[in-house]
């Protein structure tokens, strides 16, 4: 059985990249910085870029290569907003903070595309919008409510009928939905690499193949054993998400790493490309175990969904993903599948990102729950602005709490997957 780590090189993004690997040298010797960042995904490189632009000394350490984790393996969907709707955020955090959170999260896609333009990142950006499609009449009520909340905040979203969704996407198996015009699609590995290069140009020091093996509190900040050297820092950001290890005890046990699997076809014939997810449009379903889909930059079709529990890539589930693709889009029968890959994303039990500061100067930010491209870009900037003294982070600190059944997560999550298959079949909606 192939591991999800091994399948990285089988991915569309690795094989059809326009931004070559960064090739940053491993860390050696001694570094002294204002901020040390652990993790070379979007959170880390966005924070490094914005900290360096603010004039701070920054060192980023990546255990493998830039974009190795979810940042380089995801579906490339740039979706604004949190999993909570604006009114949910206001109810949870109050009118002021909840409103500002909705504004920040709602603007996350704009920030992402602004960064691409400002730094000339070659990542095939396209803003064709995102449809959240209702898989049942019950789910349609929920997505219509969500759309109206964004309309009330001045966003020109569209509420779509069943026929309208079918006409725009090429599948008639949905019951309607809504389209968010702020959203778009990118090549995520190229985006992450491009942000990293921009950070380096701004003065940040980035190191690949530099595992951080030790993190120790000192009188003046933190000491890290990184790569083949050491680093002292006033502050540390842990941005390792689903690939979090034992560096901060309890952090890995506070979230759930979930494998996501994806496949992509050869370029579609012109008639299919004009009918199936054309114009840079993206779509995801309201099922808890939802599929998400788009065209690839070279005109193929790509679909993703929930993978196995654990590190092994389950060929049966990959085959089920292909069957799901053909169920939604029967006309794709006969189009060769060229790439199959998987990796881990990070979920929280409450469906919200976790922003911890368990000790002074140690910041942990993880669990974007499937919306990491836009949110990690925005949250990386948010961290940098707070550290640079430009204002308190709008997202509140959260308490670091272990999940009591984390040691049993594989059988528990296996049962959960079966439960959600049942709920999806009954038509319940998800965020």
């Amino acid at each position: 059985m192939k591991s999800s780590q091994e399948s990285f090189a089988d991915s569309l993004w690795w094989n059809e990249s326009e931004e070559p690997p960064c090739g940053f040298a491993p860390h050696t010797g001694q570094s002294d910085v204002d901020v040390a960042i652990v993790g070379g995904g979007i959170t880390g490189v966005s924070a490094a870029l914005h900290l360096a632009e603010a004039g701070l000394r920054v060192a980023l350490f990546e255990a493998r290569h830039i974009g190795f984790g979810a940042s380089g393996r995801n579906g490339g969907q740039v979706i604004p907003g949190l999993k909570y709707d604006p009114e949910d955020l206001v109810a949870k955090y109050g009118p002021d903070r909840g409103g500002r959170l909705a504004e920040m999260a709602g603007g996350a896609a704009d920030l992402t595309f602004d960064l691409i333009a400002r730094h000339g990142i070659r990542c095939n950006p396209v803003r064709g919008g995102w449809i959240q499609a209702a898989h049942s009449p019950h789910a349609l009520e929920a997505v219509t409510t969500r759309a109206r909340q964004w309309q009330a905040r001045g966003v020109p979203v569209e509420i779509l009928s069943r026929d309208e969704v079918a006409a725009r996407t090429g599948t008639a198996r949905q019951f309607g939905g809504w389209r968010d015009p702020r959203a778009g699609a990118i090549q995520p590995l190229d985006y992450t690499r491009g942000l990293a290069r921009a950070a380096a140009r701004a003065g940040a020091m980035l190191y690949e193949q530099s595992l951080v093996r030790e993190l120790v509190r000192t009188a003046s900040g933190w000491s890290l054993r990184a790569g083949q050297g050491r680093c002292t820092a006033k502050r540390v950001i842990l941005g390792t998400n689903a690939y979090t290890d034992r560096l901060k005890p309890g952090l890995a046990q506070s979230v759930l790493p979930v494998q996501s699997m994806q496949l992509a076809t050869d370029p579609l014939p012109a008639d299919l490309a004009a009918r199936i997810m054309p114009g840079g449009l993206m779509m995801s379903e309201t099922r808890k175990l939802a599929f998400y889909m788009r065209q690839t930059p070279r005109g193929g079709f790509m679909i993703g969904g929930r993978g196995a529990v654990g590190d092994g890539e389950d060929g049966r589930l990959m085959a089920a993903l292909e069957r799901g693709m053909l169920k939604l889009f029967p006309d794709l029968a006969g189009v060769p599948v060229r790439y199959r890959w998987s990796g881990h994303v990070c979920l929280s039990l409450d469906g919200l990102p976790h922003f911890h500061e368990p000790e002074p100067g140690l910041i942990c930010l993880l669990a974007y729950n499937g919306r990491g491209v836009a949110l990690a870009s925005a949250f990386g900037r948010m961290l940098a602005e707070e550290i640079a003294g430009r204002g308190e982070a709008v997202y509140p600190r959260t308490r670091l709490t272990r999940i009591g059944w984390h040691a049993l997560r594989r059988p528990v999550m296996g049962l959960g997957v079966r439960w959600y298959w049942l709920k999806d079949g009954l038509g319940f909606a998800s965020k």
Side-chain angles (χ1 to χ4, degrees), residues 367-390:
Y368 297 109
N369 297 281
R371 298 196 179 188
V373 174
L375 286 178
S377 302
F379 276 53
R381 183 181 69 170
M382 178 192 75
L383 291 181
E385 290 180 342
E386 180 176 87
I387 291 171
R390 296 177 176 175

Side-chain angles (χ1 to χ4, degrees), residues 127-130 155-158 178-184:
R127 298 190 83 169
W130 166 67
V155 180
V157 308
E158 299 174 83
W178 71 294
R179 176 183 172 273
D180 191 332
R182 299 170 295 179

Side-chain angles (χ1 to χ4, degrees), residues 89-104:
L89 294 172
V90 169
K92 184 175 179 64
Y93 298 110
D96 179 47
R97 171 162 269 176
R100 288 187 292 132
L101 270 176
E103 182 179 357
M104 183 191 78

Side-chain angles (χ1 to χ4, degrees), residues 23-53:
F24 297 122
H27 180 251
T28 59
Q30 176 69 38
S31 301
D32 299 287
V33 297
D34 296 310
V35 184
I37 301 171
V38 183
I42 295 174
T43 298
V45 296
S46 175
L49 169 62
H50 291 99
L51 286 164
E53 288 180 334

Side-chain angles (χ1 to χ4, degrees), residues 52-124:
E53 288 180 334
L56 279 73
R57 297 171 299 153
V58 185
L60 181 148
F61 304 100
E62 165 54 45
R64 294 180 178 85
H65 54 79
I66 297 297
F68 172 81
S71 297
R73 308 194 201 197
N74 65 75
Q77 296 195 349
V78 186
I79 301 174
L82 293 157
K83 288 296 183 84
Y84 280 40
D85 297 333
E87 290 180 9
D88 296 332
L89 294 172
V90 169
K92 184 175 179 64
Y93 298 110
D96 179 47
R97 171 162 269 176
R100 288 187 292 132
L101 270 176
E103 182 179 357
M104 183 191 78
D110 290 334
L111 168 66
T112 302
F113 287 101
D114 286 347
L115 288 170
I116 292 167
R118 179 155 61 94
H119 297 288
I121 300 173
R122 296 176 298 168
C123 62
N124 293 284

